[in-house]
Amino acid sequence: MINAEQRCISLLKDCKTLNNLKKIQAIATKTNLLSEPFISGKLILLSATSISDALQYACNLFLEIPSPDIFTYNTLIRGISESNLPQQSLLTYIEMRRKTILQPDSFSFAFILKAAANYKSLNGGIQLHCQSLVHGFDTHLFVRTTIVSMYAECGCINSARKAFEELSQPNVVAWNAIVTACFRCGDVKGGEVLFGKMPFKNLTSWNVMLAGYMKAGEVEPAKRIFAEMSAKDEVSWSTMIVGFSHNGRLDEAFECFRELNLSGMRPNGVSLTGVLSACAQAGAFEFGKVIHGYIEKAGFGTIVSVGNTLLDTYSRCGSVQMAHLVFDWMIKIKNIVSWTSMMASFAMHGLGKEAVQLFHDMESSGVVPDGITFVSILYACSHAGMLKEGIGFFHKMQVTYAIEPSIEHYGCMVDLYGRAGLLRKAFEFVLEMPIEPNDIIWRTLLGACSIHGDVTLAEQVKERLSELDPTNSSDHVLLSNIYAIAGKWREVVSVRRSMIDQNIKKCPGWSMIEVDKVMYSFVVGAGLNGVTKEAQEKLVEIMSRIRIEGGYIPEVGSVLHDIEEEEKENAVSLHSEKLAVAFGISRLCPGSVIRIVKNLRVCRDCHVVMKLISKVYNWKIVLRDRNRFHSFHLGQCSCQDFW
DNA sequence: TTAGGGTTAG
């Protein structure tokens, strides 16, 4: 016959879910075992660090433990330091010092300094550094290494270097920490010098260099080091794939993923998120589906970050339906990121009502929204013209959830008022907001002026933008478009002339389309050969047919801004998204969906053409532009001509 | 029974 304590210990060994944990807690409470430090400590360890989304449970459980020991405090502090509110762990530490006679140990300082690093609090970090000195732990190797990282996270490379130099015998981990610190603070050269001086290097040191270079946007040196490495592990490969993807080097991300598979090593969750993120950026829907198949077959579907990236990939590839299927499949593992991504997906596709419903479902399920959730829901409201609901959410975030609005939230509100046509209200809102408006805020307002054709306000807004970001080509182009639509041709010429005088070049437009899992890109003004020639020939036929059968008349205003006068006649057929759609009609099987990704906002003329093609040819076209999705079907667009 | 350096999603 085993007693309750033995039973608890045995159950704790296999405890992997919150439900298991609750059963053990019930036994422990009933049999007074919560006063046993080993049992209560283990329960806190599991709930605070091993079982996902059980931190709140851990905090509640902690309150029931009669006199927690230092181990129990440490594990709770660790759990909180890894959460999205790391500053709360400092409060736990302060409470421990105030309410108990427990003395902090090296573990306490390692965890709490990590928390300060996570929320980038230099003041807090300095105070904890002093505390560790008072208690005699500041020279402890583990604590000191965390101090080096903490200063680097807070941007103080000099303090990080000093903390490292005071170590008489740094080991390889401390060396890796100081090299990482240099890269984190933007000192690439310093990182290279220290790497050269390292007396010993293991594989992790090389991976530090790969990650450092990739985060600094230095892709070529990372590639050089990767090629030189005699041994590579999962992290080396993942770092490269994620690095290529973050730096927009999508072809190289795909190629590296292919090489990883050929190397005999298997992709892990991180490399899968990296390649999926490349799919999302490129709009590679079919290739994304292949990766999805692999994820299911190889059992990666239970990793929440992988599921969330897959959801986001489908969404950015234009399939809100597939994104929603993934969301539903994630039933047991979904977290705040999943809810927020799904809301963002509805938002991007103009499905405001669905996003609002999802927000309420999330609240009912007990998940607490954070600042990013509110960015998504406000974005959804503005893109669906839901003014009243948007204002309601802006108040709710502050009153119900005590979230201080950030510049992104203010940006959403400007967009919300602006798109709804309340331009003066939007302008006043910008002038009254408690944060200094940045170029993005003013650009949002300029976009609203463009939608509603308010030339006077546009001129005032452009003046502010010229102070903040004078060489931004898209601002000039937008102002020129606003003048063109208002028929102010003299002003159009003046904007164009000032662009030439200041040597401001328009960002070249490109569009991509996937055919048979291969991505094809089309660029304005590229030579007429290969696929471009094929697309161009098809486009001539398409334009003629939509003119005859759809009554198409070119919108000259849209094309004036970016081409020379003598090219105007051909301009209509030159925009990259038209070439991409023509190529799609030429190559894809009838009945499939044409999915196009464009780097700039779609122009009015292309928007009209897409609608007519969807009607005359009876194709469904999903076009992702810089801001949102347009889904064309039977002559209509999901944005309802509101973008 | 808890730690420090390298890759992970909105």
Side-chain angles (χ1 to χ4, degrees), chain A residues 607 610-611 614 619-621 623 630-633 636-637:
Chain A
H607 200 264
M610 297 290 162
K611 286 205 283 192
S614 76
W619 280 81
K620 194 172 176 202
I621 304 165
L623 170 68
H630 301 265
S631 190
F632 302 94
H633 189 47
Q636 301 291 319
C637 179

Side-chain angles (χ1 to χ4, degrees), chain A residues 517-528:
Chain A
K517 300 184 187 65
V518 176
M519 301 303 299
Y520 293 87
S521 61
F522 295 89
V523 185
V524 183
L528 278 182

Side-chain angles (χ1 to χ4, degrees), chain A residues 346-347 349-356 377-387 389 415-416 419 628 638-640 642:
Chain A
F346 283 139
H349 291 81
L351 300 166
K353 282 199 184 95
E354 286 80 352
V356 169
I377 195 68
L378 289 172
Y379 180 87
C381 292
S382 77
H383 278 256
M386 296 162 71
L387 180 67
E389 290 85 348
D415 200 40
L416 187 73
R419 279 173 192 274
R628 62 171 297 152
S638 60
C639 78
Q640 288 159 21
F642 187 71

Side-chain angles (χ1 to χ4, degrees), chain A residues 419-541:
Chain A
R419 279 173 192 274
L422 301 173
L423 291 172
R424 286 289 143 187
K425 171 76 194 162
F427 188 46
E428 282 163 18
F429 185 84
V430 175
L431 297 178
E432 285 167 10
M433 55 191 253
I435 307 177
E436 188 67 25
N438 60 11
D439 56 325
I440 300 168
I441 296 278
W442 290 114
R443 198 163 292 124
T444 303
L445 193 51
L446 189 64
C449 293
S450 160
I451 294 172
H452 298 286
D454 190 328
V455 177
T456 318
L457 185 59
E459 285 171 337
Q460 290 178 49
V461 173
K462 179 65 180 67
E463 254 177 53
R464 311 272 180 151
L465 274 166
S466 297
E467 289 161 17
L468 291 166
D469 191 6
T471 59
N472 186 302
S473 64
S474 64
D475 297 341
H476 287 82
V477 171
L478 201 52
L479 183 65
S480 143
N481 282 356
I482 295 168
Y483 283 136
I485 291 160
K488 295 184 172 260
W489 306 113
R490 198 174 295 163
E491 286 80 357
V492 171
V493 172
S494 156
V495 174
R496 283 180 50 75
R497 195 164 292 152
S498 100
M499 285 178 76
I500 293 164
D501 291 347
Q502 295 175 73
N503 199 24
I504 299 169
K505 294 210 167 60
K506 185 180 175 287
C507 174
W510 53 254
S511 295
M512 288 203 285
I513 181 168
E514 184 186 42
V515 174
D516 292 334
K517 300 184 187 65
V518 176
M519 301 303 299
Y520 293 87
S521 61
F522 295 89
V523 185
V524 183
L528 278 182
N529 46 35
V531 290
T532 309
K533 188 159 185 281
E534 180 184 338
Q536 180 88 38
E537 283 167 6
K538 186 73 186 173
L539 187 58
V540 170
E541 176 201 315

Side-chain angles (χ1 to χ4, degrees), chain A residues 324-338:
Chain A
H324 200 251
L325 267 181
V326 174
F327 180 75
D328 282 344
W329 285 331
M330 291 176 69
I331 191 148
K332 279 192 185 149
I333 56 164
K334 57 175 176 261
N335 60 11
I336 183 65
V337 179
S338 331

